[in-house]
Amino acid sequence: MQKRTSRRIFLQKCSFQWLAMIGIVAQGCSDNKREEVDALAVDQCDDLSKVSEEEIVKRKNFGYEVKSTMPDKKCGNCNLYIPAKEGQSCGGCILFKGPVFENAYCTYWAPQVG
């Protein structure tokens, strides 16, 4: 003889499983954010000691230059730029990890909208 489960009990069990999965996903996302913050937490924008070789190659492939030769195109007014946190002198970029000068430039510069 099969034991029947009420619809209410079934839905409660399902909702608890969904909440558990959301918690696991949220934990993974917060760990990734923590890594990004750690990657940006350097005192000097030219200090790449905490940046992997792969990321250094990636920034070279994007044509990253420490100083923009075009005054109207620089990281500080790029849509991909991550502004420096309070108390830090360097920002970051969505495309690669590591510190980024506000006055730098790369070939993937995208104008800010709005």
Side-chain angles (χ1 to χ4, degrees):
M1 182 172 195
Q2 275 187 330
K3 182 179 175 185
R4 290 186 58 144
T5 303
S6 73
R7 187 179 318 166
R8 183 176 48 160
I9 300 295
F10 174 77
L11 292 173
Q12 285 176 343
K13 287 181 180 181
C14 288
S15 62
F16 285 129
Q17 289 175 346
W18 274 105
L19 289 174
M21 287 186 351
I22 290 170
I24 290 169
V25 170
Q27 177 64 34
C29 291
S30 67
D31 287 346
N32 290 342
K33 283 289 183 199
R34 192 173 299 120
E35 289 173 9
E36 290 175 13
V37 170
D38 291 343
L40 295 174
V42 293
D43 294 330
Q44 300 296 322
C45 295
D46 55 356
D47 179 10
L48 300 178
S49 63
K50 296 181 180 178
V51 180
S52 72
E53 188 63 36
E54 180 182 345
E55 291 297 324
I56 292 172
V57 169
K58 193 184 295 185
R59 86 176 26 219
K60 286 179 184 176
N61 289 340
F62 285 127
Y64 177 78
E65 296 291 332
V66 173
K67 179 94 170 131
S68 177
T69 57
M70 298 170 273
D72 59 329
K73 293 183 178 181
K74 56 186 179 181
C75 292
N77 64 5
C78 177
N79 198 39
L80 304 172
Y81 180 69
I82 302 168
K85 303 286 185 201
E86 187 175 325
Q88 293 181 345
S89 57
C90 310
C93 182
I94 294 173
L95 299 175
F96 52 82
K97 293 181 181 178
V100 173
F101 285 97
E102 187 174 345
N103 291 324
Y105 171 80
C106 84
T107 55
Y108 286 79
W109 180 87
Q112 291 179 342
V113 181

